[in-house]
Amino acid sequence: MAKPKVTVVGAGFVGSTTAQRLVEKEIADVVLIDVVEGLPQGKALDMMESAPVEGFSTAILGTNRYEDTQDSDVIVITAGLARKPGMTRDDLLFKNAEIVGGIVEQCARYSPSAVIITVTNPLDVMTYLAWKKSGFETRRVFGMAGELDSARCAYFIAEALGCKPADVKAMVLGGHGDEMVPVPQHTFVQGRPVTELLPADKIEQINQRTRDGGAEIVKYLKTGSAYYAPSSSAVRMVRAVLGDTREVIPVCAYLTGEYGIRDVYCGVPARLGRSGILEVVELPITEDQRKALHVSAEHVRENCAKISTTQVKP
Ligand code: TXD
C-alpha cells in the first residue's frame, strides 16, 4: 500500500527536524522543499543515509520544484524569515506573508486535496493567509502553536512535580504570543487537575514561563529559535490527521462563534482527523480567561487586516 505523502516546505531547523521525525517514525514519505538550491537535497540524502542504521523504510526527497509535491496528503509550512536586528514585527509580517503566500499558491495547485498545517511566524496571521490563498475549506487549514505552548507548560509542570513529562496534559489557548491563555483547570497530571497539585503562585509562575518559552530558548541560542519541541508538535498534528486519530489537540483554528469569537484564527482545542479539523472543542473557561482569549483574538484580527489589503486576494 502506498505510504501517505507529506510535503514540508522550508528545510531550515524546524522543517528538517519535522522531516526527520516523520520518516524515522515511519509516519509518511516526505518531500522536503526549499528555495535554496542543494539544501533540501543535501539534508534529504543525509537522512536517507541514516535509514540503514535507524531501520526506517519511509523515503525522503529533497527538491526545489513544486511539481515534486504533487498529491501530498499534508503540507507543513515552515518556510520564512526570523526577525533580524533592526527588523520590526511588521517587517517580518510582510516579508513572511510574501513568502508564505507564494508557497501556498504553489502547494494548493499541486495538492488540491491536502490538509495545510502552518508553522511560520507570526503564526496566526500566516494561517489566515494560507487559508485565503489556498481557497481550501477552513477545516483543512490550521496552525501549530497551541500544542507547542501546551507541551512547554506540561514540561515545566513535570519539572516542578518531579513526574514523567508524558503524564502531564496541559492546555494553552489563544494566539501564539504574549497573549496566550493557559487554562490550569484543564491541565491534568495522570487525570488530576494541576490546580490540586501545585499552589496558585507556582502555577502562575509556570504560566508566565510558558508565555516566555520561545524567548527563553532564543536567548540561549542567540541566533535562531526553538525547533526540537516545535517539530514534535507539528508531527503530532500530522500523525493525528493521517491516522484519523480524532485526538483533541490545541491548534490555531478558524472560529465561527466558538468561545464567542467569529471569523478569525485563534488557538483552541480541536479534534483532528483525516479531513482536518472535525470539531472545535469548547471547554468551560473562566470569565477572565474568556476575556483574555478575546483580547488575543482581536490582536490577531488587527494583524490580519494589515496584510489583507495588500496581500490577500478576495
Ligand atoms: O510555534 C510555532 N509556530 C513556531 C514557529 C515555533 C518555532 C519556529 N517558528 C517559526 O517557524 C519561525 O519564527 C520561522 O518563521 C519558521 C521557521 O523557523 P526555522 O527555525 O526553521 O527557520 P530557518 O532555519 O531560518 O528556516 C527557514 C527556511 C530556510 O531554509 C529558508 O531557505 C526557507 O525557510 N525559505 C523558503 N523555502 C521555500 N520557499 C521560500 N520562498 C522560502 N523562503 C525561505
Side-chain angles (χ1 to χ4, degrees), residues 173-174 179 181-183 185 255 257-262 266 282-298:
L173 310 180
E179 285 151 357
V181 187
V183 279
Q185 74 272 33
L255 297 182
E258 299 88 348
Y259 295 93
I261 300 169
R262 187 171 287 284
C266 191
E282 276 197 82
L283 298 172
I285 54 175
T286 67
E287 204 37 48
D288 282 353
Q289 289 165 344
R290 199 178 173 81
K291 276 190 199 142
L293 193 60
H294 279 242
V295 168
S296 184
E298 286 317 308

Side-chain angles (χ1 to χ4, degrees), residues 12-14 34-36 78-80 99 103 119-121 144 148 176 226:
F13 287 106
V14 179
D34 200 286
V35 65
V36 177
T78 76
I99 293 172
I103 288 168
V119 178
T120 306
N121 271 327
M144 187 290 289
L148 169 64
H176 186 51

Side-chain angles (χ1 to χ4, degrees), residues 9-17 33-36 39-40 43 66 77-83 92 96 98-100 102-103 118-124 126 143-146 148-149 152 176 224-227 229-231 233:
V9 189
F13 287 106
V14 179
S16 55
T17 42
I33 183 164
D34 200 286
V35 65
V36 177
L39 181 71
K43 290 198 175 183
Y66 280 90
I77 299 176
T78 76
L81 302 181
R83 203 142 64 111
L92 185 66
N96 281 352
E98 223 172 277
I99 293 172
V100 169
I103 288 168
T118 51
V119 178
T120 306
N121 271 327
L123 188 271
D124 308 86
M126 291 306 121
M144 187 290 289
L148 169 64
D149 300 328
R152 284 180 173 148
H176 186 51
S225 52
Y227 50 99
S231 56
S233 300

Side-chain angles (χ1 to χ4, degrees), residues 172-228:
V172 178
L173 310 180
H176 186 51
D178 305 339
E179 285 151 357
M180 66 182 78
V181 187
V183 279
Q185 74 272 33
H186 295 296
T187 292
F188 297 97
V189 183
Q190 286 195 315
R192 289 181 66 191
V194 71
T195 44
E196 289 176 12
L197 301 168
L198 286 172
D201 59 336
K202 181 65 191 170
I203 292 176
E204 190 35 50
Q205 201 188 325
I206 287 174
N207 289 350
Q208 194 51 45
R209 192 172 172 201
T210 303
R211 287 186 197 100
D212 299 335
E216 189 178 358
I217 306 269
V218 169
K219 209 168 145 204
Y220 278 122
L221 297 180
K222 299 192 181 64
T223 58
S225 52
Y227 50 99
Y228 291 115

